Amino acid sequence: MSRNTDQRDAITAVMTEAGRPLRPDEVLELAQQRVPSVGVATVYRNLKRLTASGELRAVELPGQRTTLYEVAHLHHHHHFHCNTCDKVYDIDVCPGDFAGLVPDGFQVQRHDLVLYGSCPACAV
């Protein structure tokens, strides 16, 4: 395999195994554990390519300048943002239909829900 393929495979594996949305710097750190030669430009290039191909989905949280990425095949879900370590975790349930919360005549087309607090590692 070529170096580029090894790097791409490392990035893809990291995203698949993470189990949560990752910032590009987290992808870089985890991919470098597999292939030390992975660079920041390679991470961004592959995140862009994997998002364009539909393998990854961008996750943008309110008030955050950095986009996170997660595998795209996940069902509808929401996120928990740890205020201490800044990691984001998936919440696998949705509280349901929000149509009853909007004024008469409004139509909900989609929704996002982010909970904020401390993850188990930071809550100790």
Side-chain angles (χ1 to χ4, degrees):
M1 256 193 259
S2 75
R3 185 180 108 166
N4 290 340
T5 302
D6 289 343
Q7 293 176 347
R8 181 172 42 248
D9 289 347
I11 292 166
T12 301
V14 162
M15 293 305 305
T16 302
E17 296 169 8
R20 65 180 187 82
L22 297 175
R23 294 182 316 270
D25 63 304
E26 292 177 300
V27 176
L28 176 64
E29 179 182 339
L30 294 168
Q32 285 177 334
Q33 292 174 10
R34 295 168 182 260
V35 180
S37 61
V38 173
V40 67
T42 300
V43 167
Y44 277 101
R45 184 172 49 254
N46 279 279
L47 290 174
K48 183 177 179 179
R49 181 186 63 81
L50 292 166
T51 302
S53 72
E55 295 173 66
L56 295 182
R57 169 177 40 218
V59 176
E60 296 183 18
L61 300 180
Q64 297 292 309
R65 293 188 306 177
T66 303
T67 300
L68 293 91
Y69 297 88
E70 66 184 0
V71 292
H73 63 79
L74 298 174
H75 62 281
H76 174 74
H77 66 281
H78 298 287
H79 297 99
F80 180 96
H81 181 206
C82 179
N83 293 321
T84 305
C85 68
D86 204 32
K87 291 180 181 175
V88 176
Y89 300 88
D90 290 336
I91 300 173
D92 290 328
V93 295
C94 179
D97 185 12
F98 290 95
L101 299 176
V102 299
D104 288 340
F106 287 74
Q107 295 180 348
V108 175
Q109 296 173 337
R110 68 181 200 83
H111 66 269
D112 293 314
L113 176 66
V114 181
L115 301 178
Y116 298 88
S118 296
C119 70
C122 295
V124 293

